[in-house]
PDB file of all heavy atoms in Angstrom:
ATOM      1  N   VAL A  18      -0.154  18.533   2.752  1.00  0.00           N
ATOM      2  CA  VAL A  18      -0.667  17.843   3.928  1.00  0.00           C
ATOM      3  C   VAL A  18       0.191  16.564   4.176  1.00  0.00           C
ATOM      4  O   VAL A  18       0.580  16.302   5.304  1.00  0.00           O
ATOM      5  CB  VAL A  18      -2.123  17.419   3.777  1.00  0.00           C
ATOM      6  CG1 VAL A  18      -2.602  16.480   4.839  1.00  0.00           C
ATOM      7  CG2 VAL A  18      -3.003  18.704   3.832  1.00  0.00           C
ATOM      8  N   ALA A  19       0.495  15.862   3.106  1.00  0.00           N
ATOM      9  CA  ALA A  19       1.301  14.621   3.287  1.00  0.00           C
ATOM     10  C   ALA A  19       2.673  14.911   3.781  1.00  0.00           C
ATOM     11  O   ALA A  19       3.307  14.088   4.487  1.00  0.00           O
ATOM     12  CB  ALA A  19       1.406  13.925   1.922  1.00  0.00           C
ATOM     13  N   ALA A  20       3.220  16.145   3.495  1.00  0.00           N
ATOM     14  CA  ALA A  20       4.504  16.546   3.978  1.00  0.00           C
ATOM     15  C   ALA A  20       4.450  17.044   5.454  1.00  0.00           C
ATOM     16  O   ALA A  20       5.498  17.413   6.051  1.00  0.00           O
ATOM     17  CB  ALA A  20       5.104  17.600   3.060  1.00  0.00           C
ATOM     18  N   GLY A  21       3.245  17.087   5.998  1.00  0.00           N
ATOM     19  CA  GLY A  21       3.088  17.529   7.375  1.00  0.00           C
ATOM     20  C   GLY A  21       2.804  19.012   7.539  1.00  0.00           C
ATOM     21  O   GLY A  21       2.762  19.501   8.665  1.00  0.00           O
ATOM     22  N   GLU A  22       2.574  19.698   6.443  1.00  0.00           N
ATOM     23  CA  GLU A  22       2.275  21.125   6.499  1.00  0.00           C
ATOM     24  C   GLU A  22       0.852  21.289   7.003  1.00  0.00           C
ATOM     25  O   GLU A  22      -0.110  20.638   6.571  1.00  0.00           O
ATOM     26  CB  GLU A  22       2.468  21.758   5.143  1.00  0.00           C
ATOM     27  CG  GLU A  22       2.336  23.222   5.132  1.00  0.00           C
ATOM     28  CD  GLU A  22       2.576  23.818   3.729  1.00  0.00           C
ATOM     29  OE1 GLU A  22       3.387  23.278   2.976  1.00  0.00           O
ATOM     30  OE2 GLU A  22       1.958  24.890   3.441  1.00  0.00           O
ATOM     31  N   PHE A  23       0.657  22.274   7.922  1.00  0.00           N
ATOM     32  CA  PHE A  23      -0.657  22.600   8.444  1.00  0.00           C
ATOM     33  C   PHE A  23      -1.354  23.492   7.424  1.00  0.00           C
ATOM     34  O   PHE A  23      -0.763  24.541   6.925  1.00  0.00           O
ATOM     35  CB  PHE A  23      -0.544  23.357   9.776  1.00  0.00           C
ATOM     36  CG  PHE A  23      -1.836  23.799  10.295  1.00  0.00           C
ATOM     37  CD1 PHE A  23      -2.785  22.913  10.771  1.00  0.00           C
ATOM     38  CD2 PHE A  23      -2.095  25.148  10.354  1.00  0.00           C
ATOM     39  CE1 PHE A  23      -4.006  23.382  11.259  1.00  0.00           C
ATOM     40  CE2 PHE A  23      -3.331  25.602  10.814  1.00  0.00           C
ATOM     41  CZ  PHE A  23      -4.286  24.696  11.280  1.00  0.00           C
ATOM     42  N   ILE A  24      -2.585  23.202   7.051  1.00  0.00           N
ATOM     43  CA  ILE A  24      -3.354  24.005   6.099  1.00  0.00           C
ATOM     44  C   ILE A  24      -4.469  24.668   6.909  1.00  0.00           C
ATOM     45  O   ILE A  24      -5.478  24.060   7.215  1.00  0.00           O
ATOM     46  CB  ILE A  24      -3.924  23.101   5.008  1.00  0.00           C
ATOM     47  CG1 ILE A  24      -2.866  22.210   4.340  1.00  0.00           C
ATOM     48  CG2 ILE A  24      -4.647  23.952   3.963  1.00  0.00           C
ATOM     49  CD1 ILE A  24      -1.798  22.934   3.560  1.00  0.00           C
ATOM     50  N   PRO A  25      -4.317  25.954   7.259  1.00  0.00           N
ATOM     51  CA  PRO A  25      -5.326  26.585   8.100  1.00  0.00           C
ATOM     52  C   PRO A  25      -6.668  26.799   7.387  1.00  0.00           C
ATOM     53  O   PRO A  25      -7.701  26.948   8.077  1.00  0.00           O
ATOM     54  CB  PRO A  25      -4.675  27.947   8.438  1.00  0.00           C
ATOM     55  CG  PRO A  25      -3.698  28.205   7.348  1.00  0.00           C
ATOM     56  CD  PRO A  25      -3.249  26.842   6.904  1.00  0.00           C
ATOM     57  N   THR A  26      -6.710  26.830   6.089  1.00  0.00           N
ATOM     58  CA  THR A  26      -7.921  27.156   5.396  1.00  0.00           C
ATOM     59  C   THR A  26      -8.568  25.913   4.745  1.00  0.00           C
ATOM     60  O   THR A  26      -9.241  26.031   3.739  1.00  0.00           O
ATOM     61  CB  THR A  26      -7.671  28.211   4.271  1.00  0.00           C
ATOM     62  OG1 THR A  26      -6.684  27.683   3.392  1.00  0.00           O
ATOM     63  CG2 THR A  26      -7.225  29.546   4.853  1.00  0.00           C
ATOM     64  N   LEU A  27      -8.370  24.799   5.370  1.00  0.00           N
ATOM     65  CA  LEU A  27      -8.947  23.553   4.840  1.00  0.00           C
ATOM     66  C   LEU A  27     -10.466  23.668   4.816  1.00  0.00           C
ATOM     67  O   LEU A  27     -11.067  24.137   5.798  1.00  0.00           O
ATOM     68  CB  LEU A  27      -8.544  22.380   5.724  1.00  0.00           C
ATOM     69  CG  LEU A  27      -8.706  20.965   5.207  1.00  0.00           C
ATOM     70  CD1 LEU A  27      -7.815  20.825   3.976  1.00  0.00           C
ATOM     71  CD2 LEU A  27      -8.317  19.971   6.222  1.00  0.00           C
ATOM     72  N   ASP A  28     -11.034  23.244   3.657  1.00  0.00           N
ATOM     73  CA  ASP A  28     -12.500  23.392   3.559  1.00  0.00           C
ATOM     74  C   ASP A  28     -13.084  21.999   3.190  1.00  0.00           C
ATOM     75  O   ASP A  28     -12.308  20.997   3.071  1.00  0.00           O
ATOM     76  CB  ASP A  28     -12.907  24.384   2.506  1.00  0.00           C
ATOM     77  CG  ASP A  28     -12.300  24.107   1.112  1.00  0.00           C
ATOM     78  OD1 ASP A  28     -11.798  23.015   0.873  1.00  0.00           O
ATOM     79  OD2 ASP A  28     -12.376  25.017   0.247  1.00  0.00           O
ATOM     80  N   LYS A  29     -14.380  21.950   2.996  1.00  0.00           N
ATOM     81  CA  LYS A  29     -15.072  20.634   2.744  1.00  0.00           C
ATOM     82  C   LYS A  29     -14.548  20.005   1.454  1.00  0.00           C
ATOM     83  O   LYS A  29     -14.289  18.775   1.386  1.00  0.00           O
ATOM     84  CB  LYS A  29     -16.546  20.886   2.682  1.00  0.00           C
ATOM     85  CG  LYS A  29     -17.379  19.667   2.399  1.00  0.00           C
ATOM     86  CD  LYS A  29     -18.836  19.994   2.351  1.00  0.00           C
ATOM     87  CE  LYS A  29     -19.683  18.813   1.992  1.00  0.00           C
ATOM     88  NZ  LYS A  29     -21.096  19.135   1.929  1.00  0.00           N
ATOM     89  N   GLN A  30     -14.307  20.775   0.433  1.00  0.00           N
ATOM     90  CA  GLN A  30     -13.782  20.276  -0.874  1.00  0.00           C
ATOM     91  C   GLN A  30     -12.447  19.622  -0.626  1.00  0.00           C
ATOM     92  O   GLN A  30     -12.237  18.487  -1.005  1.00  0.00           O
ATOM     93  CB  GLN A  30     -13.709  21.424  -1.874  1.00  0.00           C
ATOM     94  CG  GLN A  30     -13.176  20.947  -3.233  1.00  0.00           C
ATOM     95  CD  GLN A  30     -12.944  22.128  -4.193  1.00  0.00           C
ATOM     96  OE1 GLN A  30     -12.422  23.133  -3.776  1.00  0.00           O
ATOM     97  NE2 GLN A  30     -13.309  21.955  -5.414  1.00  0.00           N
ATOM     98  N   ALA A  31     -11.528  20.346  -0.008  1.00  0.00           N
ATOM     99  CA  ALA A  31     -10.123  19.871   0.155  1.00  0.00           C
ATOM    100  C   ALA A  31     -10.213  18.596   1.062  1.00  0.00           C
ATOM    101  O   ALA A  31      -9.461  17.645   0.812  1.00  0.00           O
ATOM    102  CB  ALA A  31      -9.251  20.945   0.763  1.00  0.00           C
ATOM    103  N   ALA A  32     -10.967  18.650   2.142  1.00  0.00           N
ATOM    104  CA  ALA A  32     -11.012  17.485   3.031  1.00  0.00           C
ATOM    105  C   ALA A  32     -11.531  16.254   2.391  1.00  0.00           C
ATOM    106  O   ALA A  32     -10.983  15.138   2.583  1.00  0.00           O
ATOM    107  CB  ALA A  32     -11.890  17.840   4.254  1.00  0.00           C
ATOM    108  N   ASN A  33     -12.497  16.402   1.499  1.00  0.00           N
ATOM    109  CA  ASN A  33     -12.986  15.204   0.791  1.00  0.00           C
ATOM    110  C   ASN A  33     -11.946  14.689  -0.196  1.00  0.00           C
ATOM    111  O   ASN A  33     -11.732  13.433  -0.311  1.00  0.00           O
ATOM    112  CB  ASN A  33     -14.302  15.512   0.020  1.00  0.00           C
ATOM    113  CG  ASN A  33     -15.503  15.432   0.904  1.00  0.00           C
ATOM    114  OD1 ASN A  33     -15.960  14.335   1.261  1.00  0.00           O
ATOM    115  ND2 ASN A  33     -15.964  16.573   1.397  1.00  0.00           N
ATOM    116  N   VAL A  34     -11.238  15.544  -0.868  1.00  0.00           N
ATOM    117  CA  VAL A  34     -10.240  15.115  -1.841  1.00  0.00           C
ATOM    118  C   VAL A  34      -9.049  14.521  -1.071  1.00  0.00           C
ATOM    119  O   VAL A  34      -8.440  13.536  -1.473  1.00  0.00           O
ATOM    120  CB  VAL A  34      -9.816  16.244  -2.789  1.00  0.00           C
ATOM    121  CG1 VAL A  34      -8.663  15.864  -3.648  1.00  0.00           C
ATOM    122  CG2 VAL A  34     -11.037  16.664  -3.664  1.00  0.00           C
ATOM    123  N   ILE A  35      -8.701  15.093   0.051  1.00  0.00           N
ATOM    124  CA  ILE A  35      -7.562  14.574   0.894  1.00  0.00           C
ATOM    125  C   ILE A  35      -7.955  13.159   1.375  1.00  0.00           C
ATOM    126  O   ILE A  35      -7.103  12.240   1.331  1.00  0.00           O
ATOM    127  CB  ILE A  35      -7.316  15.489   2.094  1.00  0.00           C
ATOM    128  CG1 ILE A  35      -6.588  16.772   1.571  1.00  0.00           C
ATOM    129  CG2 ILE A  35      -6.451  14.814   3.181  1.00  0.00           C
ATOM    130  CD1 ILE A  35      -6.483  17.870   2.567  1.00  0.00           C
ATOM    131  N   ARG A  36      -9.214  12.962   1.714  1.00  0.00           N
ATOM    132  CA  ARG A  36      -9.657  11.593   2.170  1.00  0.00           C
ATOM    133  C   ARG A  36      -9.486  10.594   1.009  1.00  0.00           C
ATOM    134  O   ARG A  36      -9.024   9.478   1.203  1.00  0.00           O
ATOM    135  CB  ARG A  36     -11.111  11.638   2.626  1.00  0.00           C
ATOM    136  CG  ARG A  36     -11.699  10.340   3.037  1.00  0.00           C
ATOM    137  CD  ARG A  36     -13.161  10.549   3.498  1.00  0.00           C
ATOM    138  NE  ARG A  36     -13.794   9.309   3.538  1.00  0.00           N
ATOM    139  CZ  ARG A  36     -14.477   8.738   2.527  1.00  0.00           C
ATOM    140  NH1 ARG A  36     -14.544   9.307   1.360  1.00  0.00           N
ATOM    141  NH2 ARG A  36     -15.066   7.554   2.669  1.00  0.00           N
ATOM    142  N   LEU A  37      -9.901  10.991  -0.213  1.00  0.00           N
ATOM    143  CA  LEU A  37      -9.738  10.188  -1.364  1.00  0.00           C
ATOM    144  C   LEU A  37      -8.257   9.885  -1.628  1.00  0.00           C
ATOM    145  O   LEU A  37      -7.880   8.756  -1.931  1.00  0.00           O
ATOM    146  CB  LEU A  37     -10.378  10.810  -2.593  1.00  0.00           C
ATOM    147  CG  LEU A  37     -10.145  10.059  -3.921  1.00  0.00           C
ATOM    148  CD1 LEU A  37     -10.811   8.707  -3.934  1.00  0.00           C
ATOM    149  CD2 LEU A  37     -10.747  10.948  -5.079  1.00  0.00           C
ATOM    150  N   ALA A  38      -7.452  10.941  -1.530  1.00  0.00           N
ATOM    151  CA  ALA A  38      -5.995  10.781  -1.789  1.00  0.00           C
ATOM    152  C   ALA A  38      -5.385   9.790  -0.747  1.00  0.00           C
ATOM    153  O   ALA A  38      -4.503   8.977  -1.145  1.00  0.00           O
ATOM    154  CB  ALA A  38      -5.322  12.130  -1.671  1.00  0.00           C
ATOM    155  N   ALA A  39      -5.832   9.788   0.459  1.00  0.00           N
ATOM    156  CA  ALA A  39      -5.359   8.824   1.439  1.00  0.00           C
ATOM    157  C   ALA A  39      -5.639   7.424   0.992  1.00  0.00           C
ATOM    158  O   ALA A  39      -4.777   6.538   1.157  1.00  0.00           O
ATOM    159  CB  ALA A  39      -6.011   9.133   2.823  1.00  0.00           C
ATOM    160  N   MET A  40      -6.777   7.178   0.484  1.00  0.00           N
ATOM    161  CA  MET A  40      -7.167   5.861   0.015  1.00  0.00           C
ATOM    162  C   MET A  40      -6.300   5.421  -1.190  1.00  0.00           C
ATOM    163  O   MET A  40      -5.796   4.279  -1.302  1.00  0.00           O
ATOM    164  CB  MET A  40      -8.608   5.752  -0.305  1.00  0.00           C
ATOM    165  CG  MET A  40      -9.572   5.834   0.842  1.00  0.00           C
ATOM    166  SD  MET A  40     -11.276   5.601   0.491  1.00  0.00           S
ATOM    167  CE  MET A  40     -11.699   7.207  -0.248  1.00  0.00           C
ATOM    168  N   LEU A  41      -6.099   6.374  -2.127  1.00  0.00           N
ATOM    169  CA  LEU A  41      -5.366   6.062  -3.353  1.00  0.00           C
ATOM    170  C   LEU A  41      -3.866   5.887  -3.084  1.00  0.00           C
ATOM    171  O   LEU A  41      -3.179   5.196  -3.813  1.00  0.00           O
ATOM    172  CB  LEU A  41      -5.586   7.140  -4.360  1.00  0.00           C
ATOM    173  CG  LEU A  41      -7.064   7.252  -4.902  1.00  0.00           C
ATOM    174  CD1 LEU A  41      -7.136   8.437  -5.843  1.00  0.00           C
ATOM    175  CD2 LEU A  41      -7.453   5.946  -5.619  1.00  0.00           C
ATOM    176  N   ALA A  42      -3.349   6.588  -2.081  1.00  0.00           N
ATOM    177  CA  ALA A  42      -1.903   6.586  -1.824  1.00  0.00           C
ATOM    178  C   ALA A  42      -1.494   5.456  -0.877  1.00  0.00           C
ATOM    179  O   ALA A  42      -0.306   5.203  -0.715  1.00  0.00           O
ATOM    180  CB  ALA A  42      -1.446   7.905  -1.185  1.00  0.00           C
ATOM    181  N   ARG A  43      -2.422   4.721  -0.306  1.00  0.00           N
ATOM    182  CA  ARG A  43      -2.147   3.717   0.712  1.00  0.00           C
ATOM    183  C   ARG A  43      -1.074   2.727   0.316  1.00  0.00           C
ATOM    184  O   ARG A  43      -0.185   2.473   1.083  1.00  0.00           O
ATOM    185  CB  ARG A  43      -3.426   3.043   1.114  1.00  0.00           C
ATOM    186  CG  ARG A  43      -3.262   2.137   2.286  1.00  0.00           C
ATOM    187  CD  ARG A  43      -4.627   1.560   2.791  1.00  0.00           C
ATOM    188  NE  ARG A  43      -5.670   1.652   1.794  1.00  0.00           N
ATOM    189  CZ  ARG A  43      -6.905   2.056   2.112  1.00  0.00           C
ATOM    190  NH1 ARG A  43      -7.228   2.363   3.320  1.00  0.00           N
ATOM    191  NH2 ARG A  43      -7.842   2.113   1.174  1.00  0.00           N
ATOM    192  N   SER A  44      -1.102   2.198  -0.853  1.00  0.00           N
ATOM    193  CA  SER A  44      -0.171   1.145  -1.236  1.00  0.00           C
ATOM    194  C   SER A  44       1.236   1.667  -1.586  1.00  0.00           C
ATOM    195  O   SER A  44       2.221   1.048  -1.178  1.00  0.00           O
ATOM    196  CB  SER A  44      -0.744   0.297  -2.377  1.00  0.00           C
ATOM    197  OG  SER A  44      -0.879   1.090  -3.536  1.00  0.00           O
ATOM    198  N   ASN A  45       1.339   2.809  -2.243  1.00  0.00           N
ATOM    199  CA  ASN A  45       2.633   3.328  -2.669  1.00  0.00           C
ATOM    200  C   ASN A  45       3.266   4.260  -1.651  1.00  0.00           C
ATOM    201  O   ASN A  45       4.485   4.478  -1.700  1.00  0.00           O
ATOM    202  CB  ASN A  45       2.516   4.013  -4.026  1.00  0.00           C
ATOM    203  CG  ASN A  45       2.211   3.021  -5.153  1.00  0.00           C
ATOM    204  OD1 ASN A  45       2.515   1.852  -5.043  1.00  0.00           O
ATOM    205  ND2 ASN A  45       1.669   3.536  -6.213  1.00  0.00           N
ATOM    206  N   HIS A  46       2.439   4.917  -0.884  1.00  0.00           N
ATOM    207  CA  HIS A  46       2.932   5.975   0.021  1.00  0.00           C
ATOM    208  C   HIS A  46       2.190   5.815   1.359  1.00  0.00           C
ATOM    209  O   HIS A  46       1.418   6.668   1.751  1.00  0.00           O
ATOM    210  CB  HIS A  46       2.721   7.343  -0.535  1.00  0.00           C
ATOM    211  CG  HIS A  46       3.191   7.539  -1.923  1.00  0.00           C
ATOM    212  ND1 HIS A  46       4.541   7.750  -2.255  1.00  0.00           N
ATOM    213  CD2 HIS A  46       2.568   7.480  -3.139  1.00  0.00           C
ATOM    214  CE1 HIS A  46       4.698   7.875  -3.522  1.00  0.00           C
ATOM    215  NE2 HIS A  46       3.535   7.684  -4.095  1.00  0.00           N
ATOM    216  N   PRO A  47       2.527   4.748   2.166  1.00  0.00           N
ATOM    217  CA  PRO A  47       1.749   4.513   3.366  1.00  0.00           C
ATOM    218  C   PRO A  47       1.839   5.597   4.426  1.00  0.00           C
ATOM    219  O   PRO A  47       0.838   5.870   5.077  1.00  0.00           O
ATOM    220  CB  PRO A  47       2.315   3.163   3.879  1.00  0.00           C
ATOM    221  CG  PRO A  47       3.551   2.985   3.135  1.00  0.00           C
ATOM    222  CD  PRO A  47       3.519   3.721   1.835  1.00  0.00           C
ATOM    223  N   VAL A  48       2.994   6.208   4.576  1.00  0.00           N
ATOM    224  CA  VAL A  48       3.131   7.283   5.569  1.00  0.00           C
ATOM    225  C   VAL A  48       2.296   8.491   5.170  1.00  0.00           C
ATOM    226  O   VAL A  48       1.598   9.051   6.004  1.00  0.00           O
ATOM    227  CB  VAL A  48       4.631   7.618   5.833  1.00  0.00           C
ATOM    228  CG1 VAL A  48       4.805   8.830   6.745  1.00  0.00           C
ATOM    229  CG2 VAL A  48       5.349   6.375   6.366  1.00  0.00           C
ATOM    230  N   ALA A  49       2.459   8.837   3.946  1.00  0.00           N
ATOM    231  CA  ALA A  49       1.660   9.997   3.384  1.00  0.00           C
ATOM    232  C   ALA A  49       0.211   9.705   3.501  1.00  0.00           C
ATOM    233  O   ALA A  49      -0.612  10.592   3.921  1.00  0.00           O
ATOM    234  CB  ALA A  49       2.047  10.293   1.963  1.00  0.00           C
ATOM    235  N   SER A  50      -0.230   8.491   3.285  1.00  0.00           N
ATOM    236  CA  SER A  50      -1.612   8.088   3.373  1.00  0.00           C
ATOM    237  C   SER A  50      -2.148   8.210   4.780  1.00  0.00           C
ATOM    238  O   SER A  50      -3.219   8.732   4.968  1.00  0.00           O
ATOM    239  CB  SER A  50      -1.765   6.613   2.903  1.00  0.00           C
ATOM    240  OG  SER A  50      -3.086   6.175   3.116  1.00  0.00           O
ATOM    241  N   MET A  51      -1.391   7.868   5.749  1.00  0.00           N
ATOM    242  CA  MET A  51      -1.781   8.068   7.151  1.00  0.00           C
ATOM    243  C   MET A  51      -1.971   9.476   7.511  1.00  0.00           C
ATOM    244  O   MET A  51      -2.967   9.876   8.203  1.00  0.00           O
ATOM    245  CB  MET A  51      -0.817   7.369   8.101  1.00  0.00           C
ATOM    246  CG  MET A  51      -0.861   5.853   8.085  1.00  0.00           C
ATOM    247  SD  MET A  51       0.181   5.039   9.354  1.00  0.00           S
ATOM    248  CE  MET A  51       1.768   5.555   8.890  1.00  0.00           C
ATOM    249  N   ARG A  52      -1.048  10.345   7.087  1.00  0.00           N
ATOM    250  CA  ARG A  52      -1.146  11.779   7.357  1.00  0.00           C
ATOM    251  C   ARG A  52      -2.382  12.328   6.713  1.00  0.00           C
ATOM    252  O   ARG A  52      -3.105  13.138   7.348  1.00  0.00           O
ATOM    253  CB  ARG A  52       0.103  12.522   6.897  1.00  0.00           C
ATOM    254  CG  ARG A  52       1.334  12.320   7.748  1.00  0.00           C
ATOM    255  CD  ARG A  52       2.435  13.137   7.198  1.00  0.00           C
ATOM    256  NE  ARG A  52       3.609  12.880   7.966  1.00  0.00           N
ATOM    257  CZ  ARG A  52       4.861  12.840   7.485  1.00  0.00           C
ATOM    258  NH1 ARG A  52       5.023  13.159   6.177  1.00  0.00           N
ATOM    259  NH2 ARG A  52       5.904  12.635   8.218  1.00  0.00           N
ATOM    260  N   LEU A  53      -2.604  12.002   5.426  1.00  0.00           N
ATOM    261  CA  LEU A  53      -3.774  12.492   4.747  1.00  0.00           C
ATOM    262  C   LEU A  53      -5.069  12.030   5.423  1.00  0.00           C
ATOM    263  O   LEU A  53      -5.980  12.804   5.637  1.00  0.00           O
ATOM    264  CB  LEU A  53      -3.737  12.017   3.280  1.00  0.00           C
ATOM    265  CG  LEU A  53      -2.671  12.583   2.391  1.00  0.00           C
ATOM    266  CD1 LEU A  53      -2.448  11.738   1.147  1.00  0.00           C
ATOM    267  CD2 LEU A  53      -2.984  14.008   2.049  1.00  0.00           C
ATOM    268  N   ARG A  54      -5.128  10.751   5.745  1.00  0.00           N
ATOM    269  CA  ARG A  54      -6.307  10.197   6.431  1.00  0.00           C
ATOM    270  C   ARG A  54      -6.524  10.896   7.796  1.00  0.00           C
ATOM    271  O   ARG A  54      -7.725  11.286   8.076  1.00  0.00           O
ATOM    272  CB  ARG A  54      -6.107   8.689   6.712  1.00  0.00           C
ATOM    273  CG  ARG A  54      -7.332   8.019   7.310  1.00  0.00           C
ATOM    274  CD  ARG A  54      -7.019   6.735   7.913  1.00  0.00           C
ATOM    275  NE  ARG A  54      -6.072   6.929   9.034  1.00  0.00           N
ATOM    276  CZ  ARG A  54      -5.059   6.101   9.299  1.00  0.00           C
ATOM    277  NH1 ARG A  54      -4.808   5.050   8.588  1.00  0.00           N
ATOM    278  NH2 ARG A  54      -4.208   6.420  10.301  1.00  0.00           N
ATOM    279  N   ASP A  55      -5.531  11.105   8.547  1.00  0.00           N
ATOM    280  CA  ASP A  55      -5.695  11.807   9.858  1.00  0.00           C
ATOM    281  C   ASP A  55      -6.216  13.266   9.725  1.00  0.00           C
ATOM    282  O   ASP A  55      -7.104  13.634  10.448  1.00  0.00           O
ATOM    283  CB  ASP A  55      -4.372  11.749  10.617  1.00  0.00           C
ATOM    284  CG  ASP A  55      -3.973  10.421  11.084  1.00  0.00           C
ATOM    285  OD1 ASP A  55      -4.784   9.476  11.095  1.00  0.00           O
ATOM    286  OD2 ASP A  55      -2.760  10.242  11.502  1.00  0.00           O
ATOM    287  N   VAL A  56      -5.664  13.938   8.721  1.00  0.00           N
ATOM    288  CA  VAL A  56      -6.156  15.341   8.503  1.00  0.00           C
ATOM    289  C   VAL A  56      -7.609  15.358   8.053  1.00  0.00           C
ATOM    290  O   VAL A  56      -8.410  16.138   8.564  1.00  0.00           O
ATOM    291  CB  VAL A  56      -5.194  16.055   7.523  1.00  0.00           C
ATOM    292  CG1 VAL A  56      -5.811  17.401   7.032  1.00  0.00           C
ATOM    293  CG2 VAL A  56      -3.842  16.341   8.155  1.00  0.00           C
ATOM    294  N   ALA A  57      -7.975  14.490   7.137  1.00  0.00           N
ATOM    295  CA  ALA A  57      -9.340  14.411   6.648  1.00  0.00           C
ATOM    296  C   ALA A  57     -10.251  14.038   7.850  1.00  0.00           C
ATOM    297  O   ALA A  57     -11.303  14.643   8.006  1.00  0.00           O
ATOM    298  CB  ALA A  57      -9.455  13.417   5.525  1.00  0.00           C
ATOM    299  N   ASN A  58      -9.865  13.013   8.574  1.00  0.00           N
ATOM    300  CA  ASN A  58     -10.706  12.586   9.742  1.00  0.00           C
ATOM    301  C   ASN A  58     -10.883  13.697  10.739  1.00  0.00           C
ATOM    302  O   ASN A  58     -11.949  13.942  11.315  1.00  0.00           O
ATOM    303  CB  ASN A  58     -10.124  11.335  10.374  1.00  0.00           C
ATOM    304  CG  ASN A  58     -10.375  10.099   9.533  1.00  0.00           C
ATOM    305  OD1 ASN A  58     -11.135  10.027   8.659  1.00  0.00           O
ATOM    306  ND2 ASN A  58      -9.591   9.054   9.838  1.00  0.00           N
ATOM    307  N   ASP A  59      -9.823  14.441  11.012  1.00  0.00           N
ATOM    308  CA  ASP A  59      -9.893  15.555  11.967  1.00  0.00           C
ATOM    309  C   ASP A  59     -10.839  16.611  11.463  1.00  0.00           C
ATOM    310  O   ASP A  59     -11.611  17.185  12.237  1.00  0.00           O
ATOM    311  CB  ASP A  59      -8.476  16.204  12.168  1.00  0.00           C
ATOM    312  CG  ASP A  59      -7.566  15.335  13.021  1.00  0.00           C
ATOM    313  OD1 ASP A  59      -8.073  14.345  13.581  1.00  0.00           O
ATOM    314  OD2 ASP A  59      -6.315  15.641  13.071  1.00  0.00           O
TER     315      ASP A  59
END
C-alpha cells in the first residue's frame, strides 16, 4: 500500500493494521504514512 499498489481485497483486519502502520511510520516515512492513512480512511 505504501508503494502505491492497489489492494482489491482489503478487509477490516488489513485496514485497521494499515491505519496503525500509518501512525507508526509518520516520523520515519512520512510519504508512506500519508498513503497508508489515505487507504485506511478510504
